[in-house]
Structures are given as C-alpha cells and as structure tokens.
Amino acid sequence: MEKRKISKYVVIFTITILAFALASCSKNAGSSTVGKGTSSDTVKIAYLPITHSLAVLEEAEELKNSTGLKIELVKYGSWPELLDALNTGQVDGAEVLIELAMKSKQEGIGIKVVALGHKDGNVIVTNKNIKSVADLKGKKFAIPHRQSSHNILLHDALATAGLTTDDLEVVELAPTEMPSALVAGQIDGYCVAEPFGAKAVSLDVGQVLLKSEEIWKDSLCCGLVLTDTFLNNRPDDAKSFVENYKTAGKNLTTQKAKEIAKKYLSADDTVLDLSLQWISYNDLEITEETYNTLLEKVKKYGLSDNPPAFDDFVKNDF
C-alpha cells in the first residue's frame, strides 16, 4: 500500500514537471520569431554615452509614449563591446563609428548604414605648449580606434604641416581616459568623440588646436547602422524608424540636445555648452558624394584597402 502511494506521487510530480517544461517551450517558441528578446514593436539599438549618439536618444524619448514603434536602448562602454553586439545580431542596429561598420561589412557582416549620427562635432585637443600642428612632431597623440574619423582627421591635420603619423607616436586610448592622460602628461593631444574634448578645455587643461570642420568640412564620423536581418524581416518598421530618426535629429535644438545629453551622459553644463557648439544633427542623410570622400580617405590613410562601395553599404531608399 505504501509503495502504491509513493508511485502515485512520483507520477503526479512527473506530470507537473512536464507541464512546466511544455509551457516554457511554448513561451520560447512564441518569442523566437522576433529574435533575441526584441518584441515585434521594438527596435533594439546599441549606443555609447557620447554626444554623437544624441539623435537616436532623442528619437527614443519621442517614441516613448507612442502607440507604435519603440526603441530599446542598449548602452555599451567601448566600441569593441558595441561592435561585438552588432556583428553577432544581439541588437537590431547601432550608432557606431562608420569606419568600424565599413570594416565589418567588408568582413561579411550583414549590415547597412542608413543615416549619419551627426555632422562635425570633433576637435583636436592638445596641451597648451602646442602652438601649431607642426609642434606635434615627436609628440604622443591619442585616438579611440584606428578605424575612426578621428584617425583620418589626425592624418589630414598633419598633412597641412607636411607631417605624417610616422612623425609622432599615435596610441589608442579609451575616450574616458583621454582628458586625465592629457593632465598627467602621458599624451600631448587627442581627437575623440564628444564631450571628452570639451571636458579638457572646460577644465582649462587643454586647448582646441583645430575643429573638424576646419580640417574636413561636413566630416563623417558616426553612422546609424541596421542589420540586414532587421531591414529584410521588418521593412515597414525600418522605414518608420529611419524617418523618425531623421526627424528627431532636426528637433535637436541646442537646448533640446542639452536636455537629452544631461539625461544620458555624465557631463556638466559647462562641458555640454561647449561641446554642443561643435556639432549638428539637422541633416543626417548620407549622400554618395560625402561617402565617396570618406572612401578615398579610408584608402589613402590605410584604414582599408577594399572598403564597401556606396551601393553595397548605404541604404537611402526607404
């Protein structure tokens, strides 16, 4: 009798476990068509907390209370981390250094750039002993990544003084470390995404040697990139997302940009007031002419021998 009672409980327990397992499988099957935790009305976008990401941050705010598309923002602390998430399909898209995205495309990753992140918005910052570009000879200069517009801007600036990167020591450094490295004398200058240039200037430990528009007018830096999977599987959402994004950029007045920056970035008023003077978001369309200028520079300065052509990488036809 005792044996029968135990068997009965074993059967009940087994049935309960199977029921939970089936329920769990059913739940997972229902979300698998959307992909990696993103709901059908959500776009998952990776970003770094820099002023160059403000357009997508503004869009996320504008769509927060809408009945349609929403943006799930995923913050990363470095470009390699963000790029890994983009390249492995953990997100639907990202605000990313356009040269990094070009390199991923060249290596077979299914992505396309659909808009700019911003225009201009970079500065070459140096210690106050540097009086001209020529003074950078023999000095140590930091950039965030070899695959970056900051590297290109450095090359362009040096060329005006008849110098190349062989005439100084170029190091890669995390953006957050650059102002303190300048203060400590570990580097003599740097070029990086904002607000890190403005931070050194506002603390009176650095100076602006050149603004990006003085070196390369309407320079391309960050781009809004979407995966081919998202573009192909959700074309209507992709179109809506990009249209809203460009509108959000136009809505970023200096005051609005400052409000968004204070919410998402760790920067004070003095830094933001300075930084936001150097950047614009009102026209985020990528034209073939501006992209081809970037292509020439990427090849000229050895960032890539075979970067993707405009038609293969840029998507404007929404």
Side-chain angles (χ1 to χ4, degrees):
M1 187 72 181
E2 186 67 18
K3 215 171 182 182
R4 282 186 197 169
K5 188 185 286 188
I6 291 171
S7 298
K8 177 181 176 183
Y9 287 140
V10 168
V11 170
I12 292 172
F13 177 77
T14 304
I15 291 172
T16 304
I17 291 298
L18 285 172
F20 273 116
L22 288 171
S24 176
C25 289
S26 175
K27 183 178 178 182
N28 289 336
S31 63
S32 64
T33 56
V34 175
K36 299 197 176 183
T38 305
S39 66
S40 59
D41 62 348
T42 301
V43 187
K44 199 170 184 178
I45 299 295
Y47 78 100
L48 260 58
I50 54 178
T51 57
H52 296 187
S53 300
L54 290 189
V56 78
L57 300 180
E58 167 65 13
E59 182 184 10
E61 289 293 315
E62 291 182 4
L63 296 181
K64 214 173 241 185
N65 299 316
S66 71
T67 55
L69 203 62
K70 301 287 193 307
I71 297 175
E72 179 185 344
L73 296 169
V74 186
K75 183 170 74 171
Y76 290 90
S78 69
W79 291 121
E81 287 179 311
L82 180 146
L83 204 66
D84 182 63
L86 178 67
N87 290 351
T88 57
Q90 296 174 47
V91 292
D92 297 312
E95 282 277 20
V96 62
L97 290 171
I98 194 167
E99 295 85 0
L100 280 175
M102 291 165 72
K103 192 71 173 176
S104 291
K105 178 68 175 179
Q106 183 183 334
E107 292 171 353
I109 303 297
I111 53 175
K112 286 188 173 61
V113 61
V114 295
L116 297 175
H118 59 94
K119 281 189 175 176
D120 297 319
N122 291 299
V123 292
I124 288 182
V125 173
T126 66
N127 65 46
K128 294 186 177 181
N129 295 322
I130 305 293
K131 304 302 180 185
S132 68
V133 174
D135 291 339
L136 289 173
K137 186 172 182 177
K139 300 297 192 293
K140 188 183 246 186
F141 193 94
I143 55 174
H145 202 286
R146 183 173 176 273
Q147 298 292 333
S148 70
S149 291
H150 310 101
N151 189 17
I152 292 174
L153 288 167
L154 174 61
H155 276 278
D156 276 352
L158 291 173
T160 65
L163 301 176
T164 72
T165 51
D166 292 334
D167 293 308
L168 63 161
E169 183 181 355
V170 181
V171 296
E172 291 185 14
L173 201 60
T176 53
E177 297 174 15
M178 291 187 187
S180 58
L182 188 69
V183 173
Q186 297 169 348
I187 57 174
D188 300 288
Y190 62 89
C191 184
V192 71
E194 281 301 307
F196 301 106
K199 185 171 183 180
V201 177
S202 68
L203 293 172
D204 202 30
V205 297
Q207 63 179 350
V208 175
L209 188 67
L210 286 168
K211 298 176 184 176
S212 56
E213 60 265 34
E214 297 173 310
I215 307 168
W216 173 14
K217 181 67 176 173
D218 291 333
S219 57
L220 304 192
C221 179
C222 292
L224 176 65
V225 173
L226 296 176
T227 66
D228 286 351
T229 299
F230 177 71
L231 288 166
N232 295 334
N233 293 350
R234 298 169 61 188
D236 292 339
D237 285 344
K239 179 179 179 181
S240 176
F241 171 72
V242 174
E243 288 174 350
N244 287 326
Y245 173 81
K246 291 178 180 178
T247 298
K250 291 175 182 176
N251 291 341
L252 276 175
T253 61
T254 302
Q255 184 55 40
K256 174 63 75 174
K258 186 175 177 180
E259 290 172 10
I260 295 296
K262 288 185 76 170
K263 181 170 182 176
Y264 288 93
L265 279 57
S266 298
D268 60 30
D269 285 345
T270 306
V271 172
L272 290 175
D273 286 340
L274 182 59
S275 180
L276 292 172
Q277 292 177 24
W278 304 330
I279 195 165
S280 65
Y281 308 91
N282 60 333
D283 180 10
L284 300 179
E285 190 83 18
I286 297 183
T287 67
E288 188 165 4
E289 181 182 2
T290 55
Y291 183 77
N292 285 340
T293 298
L294 173 64
L295 274 190
E296 291 171 10
K297 292 178 182 291
V298 163
K299 289 188 280 190
K300 178 180 179 180
Y301 296 130
L303 276 69
S304 172
D305 293 329
N306 187 33
F310 179 85
D311 290 338
D312 294 331
F313 185 50
V314 180
K315 182 173 175 60
N316 282 332
D317 55 336
F318 287 97

